[in-house]
Amino acid sequence: MKKNKIKRSFLGGIIFLLNILPLSAQEHAIKIRESELFNFDWKFNKDNPENAQSVDYDDSNWRKLDLPHDFQLEQNWDKKASRDRGFKAMGIGWYRKSFKANPAWKGRKVLLDFEGIMLVGDVWFNGVKVGKTDYGYLGFEVDISKYINYEGKNVVAVRADTGKPFNSRWYTGGGLYRDVHLLVKDIISVARHGVFISTSNITEHTADIHVQVEIEGMMSKKDEVDIEVKIWNPDGQMVAITQGRISKVRKKTEEISLPIIHINNPQLWSCETPHLYSAEVTLFKDGKPIDLVKENFGIRHIEFSPEFGFKLNGKKIILKGTANHQDLGALGVATYERAIEKRFELLKSYGFNHIRTSHNPYSETFLHMADKHGFLIVDELFDKLTQRFAGGRIPWMELWPIAIPEWIKRDRNHPSVIMWSLGNEYQMDDTWCGFEGDWGVTSYKILDIMIKRYDPTRKTTVAMFPARKNGIRSREKEFNHIIEPPELSVVTDIASYNYTYPAFSEYAKQYPHLIFYQSEAATRQMGKCYYGMNLDKVVGLAYWGAIEYLGESEGWPWKGWHYSFFDHSLEPYPQAYFIKSMFSEEPIVHIAVVDSDSIGVEWNDVIVGTTPMSSHWNRPPKSIHSIFTYTNAEEVELLINGKSLGVQKNDMNPLRRNAIFWRNVPYRQGKIVAIARRDGKEIARHELETTGKAVRLKMEIDNKHWKADGLDLQHIKVYATDAKGCIVRTATDEVTFDISGPADIIAVDNGDIASHEPYSGNKRTLHRGSAIAVLRAAKVGGKVRIKATSPSLKSVEQVLTLNMK
């Protein structure tokens, strides 16, 4: 903890360890700080009209909408637009919102808090420019106190600009894509992201909690403020209090470290048991409460070493993850909690425990969901250290001193965050990795000091590529003669490398202190890049693009990255079960039929890609097939219509482990079955059956607790089935979704990232036999009827209940 250097006194430094009380933090909340979600009732214009920031501007013809909103996703596909940015044209969008101010706000501090404006943005309030962002992945707040009109309307106007095509290497989306809040608080208050909670000395029986509070607004030498922090356990019981006092402040803000809190019998946060505590921080002046802030946190211990890689709470853990961009399929980058949570649920069901936020900070909602679901996060700030890749409006040297404090202070209380990553692949060009010409070493050291100023509890890293000294790549003649790690990787806390895991053993001989993390692994080398590492000593890996995302396309008609384990609608490819066989202890076997030759492209000196496969048994008569059975069993027997094609052992060679290959398998209408055995006993089986003609639709919902909060989502998936109810994966019929009740269809999708169909509207063709509609709840409860129809298939409908929150 940073020690306060000015004089101050504490109220005895007393810590009260309380008897457990059946009282919740909510019951004791003092409503002295107001925070209103400001997402609703905006107006939008996809143009760049003059004077749109003016209070008197006529926006009566503008479109009405609620946030979050990605205006770029709504544009038509454009073959001439940047393939890196998803074949969507660049542009500008304007947002306006009018409201009346509460007279009770007079004399208080009134702020607008924007969690992000993509790609860059400017904010006006009542015609006055009050703020901007030059890095849309991070938030900012603007003080509107002195501009408020208490007698009439107040107008917020926001201009969002996607920038130029070269300002990003992937799809960014555009607009007010994250939450906006209106905040009202006392002049003396907890500063933005001003509570820092860390834990230490953790055992099964006890743990220490450190709380630091940053206070702003104490400009008078006579001001004295008392601080009280209550700790609530995961069961909602208050278990401790600590108190302190601050006075004689001579700075705009001051950080106060409170007396250490000792907790007995802590409930530890882990991947399996993601227990969350809560800290309630209250400020008092003259005995009266003037501010209150709540922060969730977890009690957990992380450690890294070249001897064991990574441990969580003393237990060796392998990071089993993905490095993805942040878009959410057909929703673009619009930040919906349910869409994010759906991804965590999916990944966890396949054995994943880790996500690297490549190559920028994700939303606050994302980290809350990571905490809730027990995921381990490598939190990344930048792509390259240049103006071009950081937004493009101001020099990078002006940007990073603003970005790092906002990023670290925003995310440091999340137990899911275990490592800070300052960026990605600086070494591809020395002009991309700082200003001093040493492959980013000095830049990293400067930024690392800033990071540890705000959080000394976590390690820092940078994802390396090219992963050799002096930026040597495979096409250069020195590649086969020089095997030395890049200059930056020997000074970072953790040595992170994209794709070049085979060099780990050689690098370890040269630099025994290195701790290895495979920050990007190729989906084409699924088993090899996992089992090819020394799992006892490495931190783990993140497969690049495990879920399809927009942008970084290899060319039209592909709208994005398509070498993945899950498609854009989150439907698994057969390869997802290969990953599950490695990442999960659950016995598994899965049949994958090879559809065509492998597809791929050279990506960072390796060929990345996938082999097109499917899991259905509707094939041309007399055709011959290659088949994989993915399994973590000892052996697999393959049968067609009850006739055995033999038994094959699971080869433990890293090149072939868990992927048993079957050549020249003849197609016979009927049933193909894979039986997995261990010690001669069946532990899993998978079967595919030839289906009949598609005759009807089947519907599934994903959210049984759909809330009428104006934001919650319901993903409606429909499948084409035959007369027996079996899914017909070859069906390509068009489906129309119709809805009535307090909800709207905000997106449709089918997982085909090569499709030219829009994500808006209510129609979508089936792809691999399925399609989805995404429904957004209204702010009133009631019954929602959703119906799916198709000209040649029997329709299906459901009535859903939208519950008041």
Side-chain angles (χ1 to χ4, degrees):
M1 285 293 173
K2 180 180 180 291
K3 294 183 178 180
N4 184 16
K5 295 182 179 180
I6 66 172
K7 272 190 167 182
R8 61 184 180 273
S9 62
F10 292 103
L11 291 177
I14 302 172
I15 301 169
F16 299 94
L17 294 179
L18 303 179
N19 294 325
I20 292 177
L21 301 175
L23 299 174
S24 70
Q26 182 65 34
E27 291 171 328
H28 276 275
I30 304 170
K31 296 181 179 178
I32 52 179
R33 171 186 281 236
E34 300 177 43
S35 181
E36 175 189 346
L37 184 63
F38 221 51
N39 283 7
F40 304 104
D41 303 317
W42 287 80
K43 291 185 176 182
F44 173 72
N45 187 307
K46 178 58 184 70
D47 282 310
N48 192 19
E50 292 185 5
N51 300 319
Q53 72 274 20
S54 172
V55 174
D56 298 325
Y57 181 89
D58 183 6
D59 59 14
S60 59
N61 293 324
W62 286 24
R63 173 184 166 193
K64 296 179 181 179
L65 56 76
D66 297 327
L67 307 180
H69 179 236
D70 177 358
F71 73 73
Q72 195 176 33
L73 190 74
E74 300 171 344
Q75 299 171 178
N76 294 328
W77 301 112
D78 184 349
K79 188 176 181 179
K80 296 181 180 179
S82 168
R83 68 181 187 179
D84 286 340
R85 298 186 70 174
F87 293 105
K88 296 287 188 178
M90 302 300 101
I92 293 171
W94 276 87
Y95 299 81
R96 286 171 57 92
K97 178 180 170 72
S98 300
F99 70 98
K100 289 186 177 181
N102 185 341
W105 297 347
K106 291 180 180 180
R108 307 190 75 193
K109 196 169 187 177
V110 184
L111 305 163
L112 288 174
D113 183 350
F114 294 87
E115 196 190 332
I117 304 175
M118 192 52 66
L119 179 69
V120 295
D122 301 283
V123 179
W124 288 262
F125 182 73
N126 287 342
V128 179
K129 188 171 182 180
V130 290
K132 68 168 187 169
T133 179
D134 293 294
Y135 192 56
Y137 298 104
L138 287 171
F140 64 102
E141 64 184 18
V142 293
D143 189 345
I144 60 173
S145 308
K146 63 182 179 181
Y147 306 112
I148 295 176
N149 178 6
Y150 285 99
E151 306 303 323
K153 74 173 182 178
N154 295 273
V155 178
V156 183
V158 178
R159 181 183 186 272
D161 188 343
T162 62
K164 304 298 181 183
F166 58 77
N167 285 145
S168 177
R169 298 188 298 112
W170 57 86
Y171 177 78
T172 65
L176 285 173
Y177 74 115
R178 291 182 183 171
D179 291 341
V180 180
H181 284 85
L182 177 74
L183 180 64
V184 183
K185 63 179 185 175
D186 198 90
I187 300 299
I188 298 177
S189 56
V190 177
R192 178 175 177 82
H193 309 312
V195 177
F196 178 28
I197 305 165
S198 60
T199 56
S200 65
N201 300 323
I202 300 169
T203 70
E204 182 181 350
H205 305 291
T206 187
D208 291 345
I209 300 175
H210 308 260
V211 180
Q212 175 184 284
V213 181
E214 183 180 5
I215 299 176
E216 66 181 8
M218 294 183 63
M219 299 306 293
S220 171
K221 295 180 181 180
K222 296 181 180 180
D223 286 336
E224 286 190 344
V225 172
D226 295 323
I227 309 166
E228 179 182 78
V229 179
K230 296 179 181 179
I231 302 297
W232 306 80
N233 72 11
D235 302 317
Q237 299 167 325
M238 189 169 68
V239 293
I241 295 178
T242 186
Q243 297 176 322
R245 174 176 292 173
I246 179 173
S247 62
K248 299 181 180 179
V249 173
R250 295 178 174 86
K251 298 188 292 184
K252 289 184 179 180
T253 68
E254 185 64 42
E255 294 161 314
I256 304 300
S257 295
L258 298 176
I260 295 173
I261 301 170
H262 304 285
I263 295 292
N264 292 325
N265 303 314
Q267 299 181 54
L268 302 187
W269 185 94
S270 70
C271 298
E272 298 76 24
T273 60
H275 297 305
L276 292 173
Y277 283 74
S278 178
E280 183 180 284
V281 179
T282 306
L283 304 186
F284 296 87
K285 190 172 186 294
D286 300 326
K288 296 180 180 180
I290 58 172
D291 199 15
L292 183 145
V293 173
K294 298 176 186 177
E295 282 285 327
N296 290 336
F297 67 98
I299 300 176
R300 56 99 175 101
H301 177 59
I302 58 176
E303 53 186 324
F304 295 85
S305 167
E307 298 301 318
F308 54 74
F310 171 69
K311 286 184 179 180
L312 176 64
N313 300 328
K315 177 184 176 182
K316 163 69 178 176
I317 300 288
I318 292 287
L319 299 191
K320 303 171 182 178
T322 175
N324 255 75
H325 292 304
Q326 68 169 346
D327 70 270
L328 301 171
L331 299 171
V333 297
T335 302
Y336 289 96
E337 179 179 289
R338 177 57 199 155
I340 294 170
E341 183 167 42
K342 188 175 177 68
R343 278 159 173 72
F344 279 118
E345 292 171 344
L346 173 74
L347 291 171
K348 194 155 194 174
S349 71
Y350 281 80
F352 288 82
N353 64 11
H354 162 54
I355 295 175
R356 171 187 168 212
T357 71
S358 41
H359 306 295
N360 47 261
Y362 285 11
S363 67
E364 294 181 55
T365 299
F366 170 86
L367 290 179
H368 288 307
M369 288 295 102
D371 293 343
K372 176 181 176 180
H373 290 279
F375 269 69
L376 303 167
I377 305 300
V378 173
D379 199 348
E380 193 157 282
L381 179 59
F382 291 127
D383 180 17
K384 310 290 187 287
L385 304 187
T386 66
Q387 179 177 353
R388 171 181 173 184
F389 294 118
R393 224 166 47 164
I394 64 173
W396 177 80
M397 287 296 290
E398 296 178 19
L399 178 64
W400 71 260
I402 301 170
I404 286 182
E406 171 68 16
W407 172 51
I408 299 296
K409 293 167 72 174
R410 189 198 76 163
D411 296 352
R412 61 190 175 181
N413 291 334
H414 290 281
S416 56
V417 176
I418 61 168
M419 196 191 312
W420 305 115
S421 173
L422 275 164
N424 176 66
E425 298 180 351
Y426 299 171
Q427 301 82 3
M428 295 184 75
D429 186 326
D430 192 39
T431 64
W432 291 357
C433 56
F435 56 88
E436 63 293 303
D438 61 359
W439 296 102
V441 172
T442 301
S443 293
Y444 164 79
K445 289 180 177 179
I446 293 172
L447 271 59
D448 184 55
I449 290 172
M450 176 74 91
I451 287 176
K452 290 182 170 58
R453 153 70 176 87
Y454 294 105
D455 176 28
T457 71
R458 293 177 178 88
K459 303 291 188 183
T460 54
T461 192
V462 174
M464 306 291 169
F465 186 82
R468 292 191 177 210
K469 187 175 181 179
N470 204 33
I472 295 174
R473 302 188 66 173
S474 62
R475 62 180 63 93
E476 298 173 87
K477 63 181 182 180
E478 299 98 326
F479 185 83
N480 292 323
H481 307 289
I482 301 174
I483 303 179
E484 292 185 63
E487 296 82 350
L488 183 53
S489 71
V490 299
V491 299
T492 53
D493 293 337
I494 307 297
S496 300
Y497 300 95
N498 294 350
Y499 306 105
T500 48
Y501 69 92
F504 285 4
S505 58
E506 180 61 33
Y507 291 174
K509 293 177 184 177
Q510 298 174 40
Y511 297 92
H513 74 280
L514 294 183
I515 303 169
F516 294 100
Y517 164 57
Q518 193 178 167
S519 38
E520 289 179 23
T523 52
R524 188 185 185 94
Q525 302 176 3
M526 293 184 292
K528 182 180 178 181
C529 56
Y530 180 72
Y531 290 118
M533 300 187 297
N534 184 342
L535 296 177
D536 291 331
K537 293 191 173 184
V538 299
V539 171
L541 88 176
Y543 285 101
W544 180 257
I547 300 175
E548 289 179 344
Y549 59 84
L550 291 171
E552 291 192 297
S553 165
E554 288 307 308
W556 189 267
W558 306 105
K559 308 308 187 301
W561 177 266
H562 61 285
Y563 307 121
S564 302
F565 308 139
F566 305 94
D567 73 18
H568 215 225
S569 69
L570 303 187
E571 193 75 16
Y573 290 112
Q575 289 91 334
Y577 295 91
F578 187 5
I579 296 300
K580 189 171 184 177
S581 77
M582 297 190 299
F583 284 0
S584 173
E585 297 297 323
E586 175 188 338
I588 186 174
V589 64
H590 190 89
I591 302 169
V593 183
V594 176
D595 291 326
S596 63
D597 293 336
S598 296
I599 55 175
V601 63
E602 182 178 325
W603 183 277
N604 292 355
D605 289 348
V606 298
I607 300 297
V608 299
T610 54
T611 299
M613 299 180 186
S614 56
S615 292
H616 67 81
W617 200 234
N618 287 43
R619 306 289 169 174
K622 299 183 180 180
S623 55
I624 303 297
H625 299 276
S626 296
I627 287 177
F628 284 94
T629 51
Y630 298 132
T631 188
N632 50 18
E634 292 177 354
E635 62 182 27
V636 171
E637 183 178 12
L638 194 65
L639 304 94
I640 297 180
N641 297 329
K643 182 179 180 180
S644 178
L645 299 186
V647 176
Q648 288 199 58
K649 297 288 186 181
N650 188 354
D651 192 333
M652 292 296 105
N653 186 308
L655 289 172
R656 295 179 289 276
R657 185 171 175 177
N658 286 20
I660 299 174
F661 185 57
W662 305 78
R663 302 177 187 274
N664 301 321
V665 176
Y667 170 69
R668 299 288 184 268
Q669 181 175 326
K671 186 181 292 186
I672 182 170
V673 180
I675 301 174
R677 297 186 178 93
R678 185 178 296 151
D679 297 327
K681 297 180 180 179
E682 179 179 332
I683 60 171
R685 73 164 54 202
H686 183 224
E687 58 185 52
L688 304 176
E689 186 174 2
T690 306
T691 64
K693 179 183 177 182
V695 296
R696 60 172 59 92
L697 294 172
K698 180 176 74 170
M699 181 180 291
E700 294 179 356
I701 66 171
D702 79 319
N703 188 355
K704 295 180 180 179
H705 306 287
W706 199 18
K707 303 185 297 296
D709 61 1
L711 290 168
D712 202 12
L713 302 183
Q714 186 74 258
H715 292 76
I716 304 293
K717 175 154 278 190
V718 295
Y719 298 94
T721 70
D722 65 7
K724 295 181 180 179
C726 299
I727 298 174
V728 181
R729 291 294 182 181
T730 55
T732 57
D733 304 75
E734 182 180 78
V735 175
T736 299
F737 296 94
D738 292 301
I739 187 173
S740 62
D744 294 305
I745 298 174
I746 60 170
V748 288
D749 195 9
N750 63 6
D752 182 3
I753 207 165
S755 172
H756 302 321
E757 296 175 283
Y759 294 127
S760 57
N762 68 334
K763 295 182 179 181
R764 195 74 175 189
T765 57
L766 299 173
H767 176 64
R768 295 201 288 159
S770 71
I772 63 170
V774 185
L775 279 54
R776 177 173 177 168
K779 290 193 286 185
V780 295
K783 300 294 184 181
V784 176
R785 183 181 299 273
I786 178 72
K787 185 175 183 179
T789 59
S790 183
S792 59
L793 304 174
K794 185 177 180 180
S795 64
V796 62
E797 67 178 82
Q798 284 199 47
V799 177
L800 311 175
T801 300
L802 188 55
N803 299 300
M804 293 301 293
K805 57 179 180 176

